[in-house]
Each structure stands twice: as C-alpha cells, then as structure tokens.
Amino acid sequence: MSSIDVIDFDEMLSPIRYDHATGVLSLLDQRLLPAEEIWIECRTVVEVAAAIKDMVVRGAPAIGVTAAYGMAIAARRGESLEEAATLLRATRPTAVNLFWAIDMMLKPQRQGGAFPGMIPEELRARSIHTMDVLMCLKIGEFGAPLLPQGGVLTHCNAGALATGGYGTALGVIRTAHKQKRGIHVFADETRPFLQGARLTAWELHKSGIDVTLITDNMAAHMMQRGEIQSVIVGADRIAANGDTANKIGTYGLALLARAHDLPFYVAAPLSTVDLATPTGRQIPIEERSAREVTHVGDKQLAPDGIKVRNPAFDVTPAGLITAIITNVGVARAPYEPALAALARTMPGPLL
Ligand code: MRU
C-alpha cells in the first residue's frame, strides 16, 4: 500500500496494479484463472486496449479502471489523449463504465492535483481506481441487509475480479458473509466464457465464502426445490428507466425469479447508470467470436462451419428488478425518478 492510498488494493483482491515508478500496468490474466495466476504487464495504451478486448481484464468497473490507467500511460509517454480515448472506446461497447472513465480522464485537471513522482493523469486514474473500490464497499453496506437467509444465486462474475476490488454483487455477498447473515452462494457457470465456474467460484472459494457451482440450466430446478431465496447480479449498463444490460443469461434468471416469487437484485455503482440512454433498447450489445461458443478452451465441441450467435449481454426489463443497489442508496420502481435522484448525489471525482 503506497502512502497516497486510502485503501489496500491487494486486500481488496484488485486484479489491477499500477506502478507509477515504472509506468507499468499489471493485470491478472482472467483468461487463465483458476488454473494459473499470471499477471500481464502493459506498457502502452495499445497493449491496454488489447487486454480489454481480449478479456485479460473484464467486468464493467474493472474495464473502466483499466482504461483510466491506459490514458495515464499515454499521457506519461507524451501521446495524444484523444487518440488514446478513441482506441480504448473501440474495445468493448456495452459496459458504460469504460466510457465514463475515459470521459473522466479527459476532463480538465484541477490545478495542484499533482503528487510527488506522479503526473496528474496517473493520480486521476488512481483516484478512479480508489473511488471504484469505495463504491463497491458502499454497495455492500446497502445491499447486505436485503439478502434473505439461505441460497443466493449469482451469474457471471461481479466480484473483486470485475471491479477495482471487492465487487458489486459479490461485494453485497462479501458484506453479508462478514455480517454472518446465513447465506450460501450458488454460482451459475455462465456459458460461454465461464466467468461463474472459473472466476466467481475461484474468488469466493479463496475468500472462504460458501459457494456451490451449478450449470446455467439448473437454476429453475433449484428454485422450484426451494434451494434459492434470492438472485443478485451486476450490470454493464443501466438505462435511465432501469432496464439493465448484464451477462447473457441474466434476463432468463430474472424471469425465473419472477415465476418463483424471488427477489431479483442488481448491484452496480452509479458509474454504470447511463441516464443518456433512455431504455434498454438503445444499449449496444456486444457480439463476440463464434469460437467462444464452439470451443471450451482449446477443445472444439461443435462441427466445423456451423452458424453461431454469441451476444455477450442481454437486457433485463426494469419491471423484473426488485431493486437496484448503488453506492449512494437503493433504487426501487419507478426507476426513472429514483435513479435520477440518486445520480444527483453521486460524489464527483476525488480530484
Ligand atoms: O463479458 P464480461 O465478463 O466483461 O461481463 C461481465 C458482466 O456481465 C458483469 O456481470 C458486469 O460487468 C458487472 S461486473 C461488476
């Protein structure tokens, strides 16, 4: 922990480390987890953009923090920030945190923001990283009391690995676990990239939180048998009306939760709320490569030449969401006024 940090990123299991002495950004390679814990080093904004696109780092808030450091690296190398922003914006279209962080980095820097040994852009990226973890901790505080005792199902990975540290949906679970609320977690494996099986299972297991892995098609059965009492997920973009884009499969879980009369929670920082996008219909949905569907790792499962669709996200209509847990409070329907009111209380950048 450096003298300028108000939180310990290692303790928060942050997958992102920036060394301002060398200008090197290290990212925990999430493509290799849980088999290998390898950190990849990025020295240029081109390398940072490639790491986001290839999903070395993933999860909406983590993508935003990484892009902020990418901008800082460009500034340190005397490169154009506008060009760096264009490159980074082209990496992944759905997670609005990416655009939020880039815009934050392009804002004029306040005078006197420098810290010995750091350029202002490095300090600003650091403050975005810090702010992200602090927002996750607040989400945990607001969300933990909402989780009923028993089984809580989560999808994809909205944990420390998907953020600056600690996590959003898993941040709520972490805080509920600390408060001994008697929960146990079911993690959906999350086809096709397996963020649940590889990342959520790894992260919760490492933190000593009771977690059981299920395949995506088991959720309905587990709900019908009374083993699941709530569902909590993260978000990549929340439209002004509360419609929420998250990992493909989330919408199906929201429908299942409604059918079984279970609460369905979305946990996200206000940097994920996009008031400029009126409804879910306007949210761009990323299509990823066919290979993610036809293969698991290097093993091919489907015939050569088969037609494939691979939308990486879906949109859950606001009407299926019990509450949206943010860093400044909990929004409930009608979401449009509730989210707008919360957005007005969002603390500005730390610098
Ligand atoms: O494709 P990914 O792994 O980046 O998708 C991640 C998700 O869908 C997460 O649930 C979302 O970004 C929230 S992370 C706190």
Side-chain angles (χ1 to χ4, degrees), residues 103-126:
D103 290 347
M104 200 80 104
M105 290 299 293
L106 288 173
K107 282 193 175 146
Q109 308 282 327
R110 232 182 261 166
Q111 289 305 309
F115 191 87
M118 281 176 126
I119 60 170
E121 288 81 1
E122 288 174 319
L123 190 53
R124 178 159 283 209
R126 191 74 158 197

Side-chain angles (χ1 to χ4, degrees), residues 55 58-61 92 156 158 162-163 168 195 235-236 246-247 313:
M55 291 174 72
R58 30 66 51 198
R92 298 195 70 191
C156 193
T163 59
T168 56
Q195 289 94 332
D236 284 81
N246 190 50
K247 181 51 56 192
F313 303 96

Side-chain angles (χ1 to χ4, degrees), residues 253-267:
L253 291 181
L255 288 167
L256 288 179
R258 177 58 57 89
H260 293 88
D261 205 16
L262 301 175
F264 180 90
Y265 295 115
V266 170

Side-chain angles (χ1 to χ4, degrees), residues 103-178:
D103 290 347
M104 200 80 104
M105 290 299 293
L106 288 173
K107 282 193 175 146
Q109 308 282 327
R110 232 182 261 166
Q111 289 305 309
F115 191 87
M118 281 176 126
I119 60 170
E121 288 81 1
E122 288 174 319
L123 190 53
R124 178 159 283 209
R126 191 74 158 197
S127 78
I128 288 171
H129 191 175
T130 302
M131 192 161 98
D132 191 65
V133 180
L134 294 176
M135 291 195 292
C136 287
L137 291 167
K138 291 307 286 183
I139 290 168
E141 272 175 41
F142 285 119
L146 300 180
L147 290 188
Q149 203 179 339
V152 51
L153 175 65
T154 190
H155 190 61
C156 193
N157 173 267
L161 290 171
T163 59
Y166 200 73
T168 56
L170 296 194
V172 172
I173 285 169
R174 286 179 183 283
T175 304
H177 171 75
K178 275 191 218 151

